[in-house]
C-alpha cells in the first residue's frame, strides 16, 4: 500500500469508527448489552477503541505483517473489559469484524486501476489478520470470564456455607451480588439406585454435572439459586417469600425428573421449609435426612417432605429406642439373603408371590427363608404384631449421611 493511500485511509478512521457503531446498532440483535445501551461517555470510550483497532489494522496492512503480542495487548485488554461488562463474546467479535469490513470496503473503493493487482494479496492479509485478532480477543475474553465466574462461584459457595452453618451472611451476600430472601425452600438432592454407578461400578458424581444441576435449579426457581454439589449429595436454597412456601413445592417431582436426566441416575429430593435465615441449618438437616430415608427405604425416585416419611423419620432419631429396635436384626447380619428376603416381603405388602417373583425364587423358598428369619430373631414376619416390630427394626437400621 503506497503512503498516499495509507494517509487517506488513516484520516478516515474517525468516520469509520462512527459508522462501525452505527452498523453495530443495526446488525446486532436488540437486547444485547452493546453501545445502544451504554452512556454517552461509554460510547466515546468504545469509539476510541474501534479507532485504535482500525489504525492498527491499517498499519499492519501498510507494513504487510501480523501484529505482535505487545501490539495486540490493548485489543486483548478491551476484550477482557467486555467480559466484565457482560457483553457477549459473539457481540464483542462483531465489533471487530464490522470495523474491519468497513475499512476493507473503503480500501477497495479508493483503489486505482494500478492498485487492483494488490487486492488478492491484501485480501489474504485481511483474512490472516482477522484470524489473529479473533484468536487473541477470544482468548483474553474467555480467560477474563473464567476469572469472573471463579470469583462468583467461590463467593456463592461461601454464602451458602455461611447460611447452612447459621453464621451471619450479609457480607457474603454483598460479595456474591445476591439479595438474601426472607425464607427459603431447602432442597437436598441424593443419588441412588443401581443406575448411580458408572463403568466398573464407580459412583456417578454430582460434581461433574454441577453446572447442569445449577441450571435446572435456576430454571425451576426462575432466579439464581445457591447450590452446591458433592459426590452423592447436593444442597440448594430456593428463595421464596414466607407466604409463598407451598407454591414452590408443586413442581418438585418434575424437577427431580429433569435432574435425573442431567446426572444420568435416579434422583431423590428432600425438601424442607426454612422460614427465616436462622431456620436454614435445621431445614437442611431435615431435608437431607428425608432424601436419604426415601433412598434407603427403596422409595421411587421423586421429591419427598417430612410428611411423606413421618414415621420412618421418627424411628431413625438417635436414642435408646432406635438402638434397641435396630438390634432386633443383629442375628441376620451374617445372612444377607435372609435380610434381602425380609425387605422384599415387607415392600410387597406381605404378598408372598410378589416377593418371591421380585427375588426370582419359588414361593416355597421364600417361606423357608422367612421361617429362618423367625427362628433367628424370635419374630415371625407372618404375625401382625411381629411384622410391625420387624418393619420398625428395618427402618431403624437405615443409614443416614453424617454430613452434606
Amino acid at each position: 500500500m503506497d503512503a498516499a493511500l495509507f494517509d487517506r485511509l488513516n484520516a478516515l478512521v474517525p468516520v469509520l469508527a462512527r459508522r462501525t457503531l452505527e452498523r453495530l446498532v443495526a446488525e446486532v440483535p436488540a437486547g444485547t448489552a452493546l453501545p445502544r445501551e451504554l452512556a454517552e461517555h461509554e460510547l466515546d470510550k468504545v469509539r476510541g477503541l474501534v479507532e485504535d483497532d482500525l489504525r492498527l489494522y491499517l498499519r499492519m496492512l501498510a507494513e504487510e505483517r501480523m501484529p505482535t503480542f505487545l501490539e495486540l495487548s490493548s485489543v486483548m485488554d478491551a476484550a477482557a473489559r467486555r467480559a466484565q461488562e457482560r457483553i457477549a463474546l459473539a457481540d464483542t467479535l462483531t465489533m471487530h469484524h464490522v470495523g474491519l469490513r468497513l475499512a476493507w470496503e473503503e480500501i477497495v473503493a479508493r483503489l486505482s486501476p494500478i492498485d487492483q493487482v494488490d487486492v488478492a494479496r491484501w485480501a489474504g492479509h485481511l483474512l490472516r489478520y482477522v484470524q489473529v485478532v479473533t484468536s487473541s480477543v477470544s482468548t483474553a475474553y474467555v480467560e477474563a470470564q473464567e476469572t469472573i465466574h471463579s470469583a462468583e462461584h467461590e463467593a456463592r459457595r461461601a454464602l451458602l456455607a455461611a447460611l447452612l452453618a447459621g453464621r451471619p451472611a450479609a457480607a457474603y451476600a454483598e460479595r456474591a451480588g445476591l439479595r438474601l430472601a426472607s425464607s427459603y425452600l431447602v432442597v437436598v438432592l441424593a443419588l441412588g439406585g443401581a443406575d448411580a454407578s458408572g463403568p466398573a461400578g464407580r459412583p456417578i458424581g454430582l460434581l461433574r454435572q454441577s453446572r447442569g444441576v445449577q441450571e435446572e435449579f435456576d430454571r425451576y426457581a426462575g432466579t439464581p439459586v445457591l447450590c452446591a454439589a458433592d459426590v452423592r449429595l447436593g444442597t440448594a436454597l430456593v428463595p421464596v417469600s414466607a407466604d409463598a412456601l407451598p407454591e414452590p413445592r408443586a413442581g418438585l417431582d418434575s424437577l427431580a425428573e429433569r435432574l435425573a436426566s442431567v446426572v444420568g441416575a435416579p434422583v431423590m429430593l428432600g425438601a424442607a421449609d426454612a422460614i427465616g435465615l436462622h431456620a436454614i441449618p435445621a431445614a437442611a438437616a431435615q431435608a437431607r435426612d428425608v432424601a436419604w430415608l426415601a433412598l434407603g427405604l427403596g422409595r421411587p425416585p421423586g421429591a419427598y417432605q417430612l410428611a411423606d416419611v413421618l414415621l420412618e423419620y421418627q424411628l431413625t432419631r438417635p436414642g435408646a429406642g432406635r438402638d434397641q429396635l435396630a438390634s432386633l436384626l443383629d442375628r441376620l447380619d451374617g445372612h444377607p439373603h435372609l435380610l434381602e428376603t425380609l425387605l422384599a416381603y415387607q415392600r410387597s405388602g406381605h404378598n408372598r408371590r410378589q416377593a418371591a417373583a421380585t427375588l426370582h425364587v419359588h414361593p416355597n423358598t421364600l417361606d423357608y427363608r422367612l421361617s429362618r428369619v423367625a427362628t433367628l430373631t424370635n419374630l415371625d414376619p407372618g404375625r401382625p404384631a411381629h411384622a410391625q416390630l420387624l418393619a420398625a427394626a428395618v427402618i431403624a437400621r437405615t443409614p443416614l449421611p453424617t454430613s452434606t
Side-chain angles (χ1 to χ4, degrees):
M1 177 184 294
D2 62 57
L5 178 58
F6 173 78
D7 290 341
R8 292 200 304 274
L9 290 170
N10 209 42
L12 280 173
V13 163
V15 176
L16 292 176
R18 188 180 67 251
R19 289 176 56 195
T20 296
L21 295 182
E22 292 172 352
R23 188 76 66 88
L24 282 171
V25 172
E27 292 191 9
V28 176
T32 55
L34 274 172
R36 77 177 77 222
E37 298 178 7
L38 297 178
E40 186 60 35
H41 71 280
E42 291 291 336
L43 271 175
D44 291 340
K45 186 190 300 183
V46 174
R47 188 181 298 113
L49 293 172
V50 173
E51 289 186 15
D52 292 343
D53 293 346
L54 291 173
R55 293 189 195 282
L56 177 62
Y57 166 62
L58 291 174
R59 191 168 81 253
M60 294 302 99
L61 181 58
E63 298 174 9
E64 297 196 33
R65 66 178 178 87
M66 293 295 109
T68 64
F69 180 82
L70 184 60
E71 288 169 326
L72 284 169
S73 60
S74 62
V75 174
M76 297 175 72
D77 289 343
R81 287 195 294 274
R82 299 293 83 78
Q84 294 167 354
E85 294 163 358
R86 299 297 195 272
I87 295 176
L89 177 57
D91 298 337
T92 300
L93 292 173
T94 298
M95 295 170 69
H96 292 277
H97 293 168
V98 169
L100 292 173
R101 190 169 77 241
L102 289 174
W104 177 251
E105 291 171 359
E106 293 297 332
I107 291 171
V108 173
R110 282 162 174 74
L111 289 179
S112 66
I114 297 176
D115 294 325
Q116 294 292 339
V117 296
D118 295 317
V119 171
R121 189 172 79 255
W122 291 348
H125 178 278
L126 173 64
L127 293 174
R128 293 195 304 277
Y129 183 86
V130 170
Q131 179 182 352
V132 169
V133 169
T134 298
S135 175
S136 299
V137 168
S138 300
T139 299
Y141 185 99
V142 170
E143 288 178 352
Q145 195 173 51
E146 287 177 350
T147 300
I148 294 168
H149 286 174
S150 177
E152 289 180 347
H153 179 71
E154 289 306 314
R156 289 189 175 198
R157 283 189 70 91
L159 173 57
L160 177 60
L163 289 170
L164 291 175
R167 300 196 305 268
Y172 294 102
E174 183 177 357
R175 192 179 309 161
L178 295 175
R179 291 182 59 186
L180 292 173
S182 60
S183 298
Y184 287 88
L185 177 67
V186 183
V187 181
V188 169
L189 183 161
L191 294 184
D195 295 337
S197 296
R202 292 193 301 271
I204 293 175
L206 282 178
L207 285 175
R208 283 179 295 169
Q209 294 91 355
S210 59
R211 179 169 296 182
V213 170
Q214 179 73 60
E215 289 174 353
E216 286 299 337
F217 271 109
D218 289 349
R219 186 176 298 115
Y220 165 75
T223 188
V225 170
L226 290 170
C227 182
D230 206 330
V231 176
R232 296 287 294 277
L233 285 171
T235 304
L237 301 185
V238 179
V240 292
S241 59
D243 58 354
L245 282 169
E247 185 179 344
R249 305 192 200 105
L252 282 176
D253 283 322
S254 177
L255 174 62
E257 291 179 6
R258 296 196 304 274
L259 288 170
S261 298
V262 170
V263 301
V267 164
M268 293 290 191
L269 294 183
D273 299 333
I275 302 176
L277 301 183
H278 67 280
I280 289 176
Q286 183 184 111
R288 177 202 63 193
D289 287 353
V290 166
W292 210 255
L293 261 177
L295 187 63
L297 295 170
R299 298 289 182 87
Y304 294 86
Q305 297 169 66
L306 180 59
D308 300 316
V309 289
L310 193 56
L311 174 62
E312 295 88 344
Y313 181 88
Q314 189 60 38
L315 287 173
T316 54
R317 297 309 89 194
R322 184 195 68 174
D323 295 342
Q324 189 165 345
L325 277 173
S327 69
L328 295 177
L329 299 181
D330 284 351
R331 297 189 65 183
L332 297 184
D333 286 343
H335 309 276
H337 65 291
L338 296 183
L339 187 57
E340 179 188 31
T341 299
L342 178 61
L343 288 173
Y345 184 59
Q346 290 177 349
R347 290 171 182 172
S348 71
H350 299 159
N351 184 309
R352 291 174 55 260
R353 291 192 177 277
Q354 185 178 334
T358 300
L359 295 170
H360 304 290
V361 299
H362 193 277
N364 290 343
T365 301
L366 180 86
D367 290 339
Y368 170 75
R369 291 182 180 179
L370 291 178
S371 69
R372 288 282 296 147
V373 169
T375 299
L376 291 171
T377 64
N378 291 319
L379 293 169
D380 184 354
R383 294 177 58 184
H386 289 187
Q388 288 181 350
L389 275 175
L390 288 169
V394 167
I395 295 168
R397 286 167 60 100
T398 302
L400 296 176
T402 56
S403 67
T404 54

